[in-house]
Amino acid sequence: MATERRPSATWLPSWNRDDDAFMEAQGFRIAWRTMWITTFCLILSFSTWFMVSVMAVRLQGIGFKLDAGQLFWLTAMPGLAGGTLRIIHTFLIPIVGTRHTIAFSTILLLLPCIGWSMAVQNPNTPYSTLLMLAFLAGLGGGNFSSFMPSTSLFFPKRLQGTALGIQAGVGNFGVSVAQFLIPWVIGLSMFASVVGAPQNFTKAGKTTQIYLQTGALIWAPFIVVAALIAWFGLKSVPTAKASLAQQTDIFKNKHTWLMTSLYIMTFGSFSGFSAAFPLMIKELYAKFPDGPDPLKYAFLGPLVGAASRVLFGPISDKLGGARVTQVSGIGMLLCALAVSKYVHPTSLEEFGPFLWLMLGIFFFSGVGNASTFKQMPMIFEARQAGGVIGWTSAIAAYGPFIFSVLIGASIKGSWTASFFYGVAAFYLFNLAINAYYYGRKGAEKPC
């Protein structure tokens, strides 16, 4: 994988990740620096992507005339945008390189942040505007499909499970950071001179003042800093250079589609439930007297899923991705079947089992997110692996859209248990795929 290129501000003059001497002399220093810079940017991307899932919970309380269905659509739109934009991001690194892709995609996150900060200050903001701004939040979701393939180019195969597990897992923490930090900062008046007047938030007949716009603006200074660091601190790998036409060969390989299905099972579940979890708690359990505040619990799911992704990256390197993916799928299947018993609650006592089983789904989805990213670099050659990682990530990023729409409809129609039965059936289907093609003795692509 040795490549040569004329030195420039953007492209590295040469790169050979499979040469141990080169990597020890200078390669690992560049690789780890690149990973940590892009990971910082990725945290902000996920925070921006999922900030709508938090802010939507408070919109009714500050005067927006929205029903539950409209709120679920707001949490769905970032997923629709994220998945679509990830398809574009899949092909960016080989065309424009790491430096330009990371820096420009990061600074674009200012658009939804500034837009939402303005919109929430006026409860008469048209619903169509809110939908557009929710779609723009998906800019953060799109970034993953260029950030991760970029990282895969910097590390040898033996360390890709660890490197990608750390980056994706730490990046996924952006979801829980948003769902934990936003409810806290919107109650602070210390930023009033910068963010503007507060809103009156009413819940159960009690009115307090909040600054919901702070939940969007809090990311802006970090975004500017991250974009500058990316511009001045990153270089691009010359081996990644390829035209769009050259990259489409991944779609002729059946394993592209099989791994896409497996990653929908894992990351689609993680991202989908992350987006819908706050409103699920609100619609299912907050109706009871002394019911839980959704934002006190919602961040726990993404936190658990992100942590397990970091932890199981090295474990997947050691045990093999397919074996760990099988454990992940079994765990998700059992939790989905069990949680279906607690989605039509008759008392608040059912909230505890519901919460723990949902956290189980998040945990095992994080495990599978790590292990599938170990499998892909083992199944495909270097350039294709980056493209497949980007493509599978793109399709799985529709999770927030699909899950939010289906869960919202299922709650309205009282068929939420059936939704989880369907999810469990999909998990079973993917367990069969993983076992047959990758996990069994004599498998076509053991990994």
Side-chain angles (χ1 to χ4, degrees), residues 151-275:
T151 296
S152 72
L153 295 169
F154 282 87
F155 287 88
K157 284 188 175 183
R158 63 184 174 84
L159 288 177
Q160 290 205 10
T162 298
L164 294 176
I166 292 174
Q167 179 170 47
V170 175
N172 288 170
F173 275 120
V175 183
S176 55
V177 168
Q179 294 184 341
F180 175 79
L181 184 62
I182 291 175
W184 178 65
V185 299
I186 63 176
L188 299 178
S189 60
M190 60 186 295
F191 301 112
S193 61
V194 177
V195 302
Q199 301 89 41
N200 291 321
F201 174 72
T202 303
K203 179 182 178 182
K206 182 181 179 181
T207 299
T208 57
Q209 287 191 330
I210 64 172
Y211 297 81
L212 194 56
Q213 65 269 32
T214 308
L217 282 178
I218 192 67
W219 314 110
F222 297 102
I223 288 169
V224 173
V225 170
L228 289 173
I229 292 175
W231 182 254
F232 291 105
L234 294 178
K235 296 278 190 176
S236 303
V237 173
T239 189
K241 199 70 174 177
S243 68
L244 180 61
Q246 290 172 320
Q247 296 180 68
T248 58
D249 61 350
I250 63 173
F251 301 119
K252 300 176 183 178
N253 191 328
K254 69 181 179 183
H255 294 286
T256 297
W257 305 103
L258 295 175
M259 289 306 304
T260 298
S261 184
L262 288 178
Y263 199 58
I264 292 172
M265 176 181 73
T266 59
F267 185 77
S269 295
F270 172 83
S271 61
F273 283 122
S274 292

Side-chain angles (χ1 to χ4, degrees), residues 38-40 45 92 109 116 149 181 230 235 274 282 288 322 327 331 337 347 357 403 424:
T38 54
T39 299
F40 176 43
S45 297
L92 288 183
L109 298 176
W116 269 99
L181 184 62
K235 296 278 190 176
S274 292
K282 179 178 182 292
F288 293 105
V327 173
L337 289 174
S347 74
L357 288 168
F403 277 63

Side-chain angles (χ1 to χ4, degrees), residues 117-129:
S117 71
M118 298 171 64
V120 297
Q121 296 183 67
N122 181 7
N124 294 316
T125 298
Y127 182 60
S128 59
T129 300

Side-chain angles (χ1 to χ4, degrees), residues 42 46 86 140-149 168 263 309 373 393:
L42 191 59
F46 272 92
R86 281 189 179 194
N143 292 352
F144 187 90
S145 281
S146 56
F147 288 32
M148 297 297 287
Y263 199 58
R309 186 167 193 166
F373 267 43
S393 301

Side-chain angles (χ1 to χ4, degrees), residues 79-100:
L80 178 62
T84 304
L85 292 171
R86 281 189 179 194
I87 295 174
I88 298 172
H89 272 271
T90 295
F91 306 103
L92 288 183
I93 294 296
I95 296 174
V96 299
T98 294
R99 182 191 187 212
H100 286 81

Side-chain angles (χ1 to χ4, degrees), residues 313-329:
I315 292 175
S316 297
D317 276 338
K318 184 176 181 179
L319 299 180
R323 184 180 301 177
V324 177
T325 297
Q326 202 71 7
V327 173
S328 164

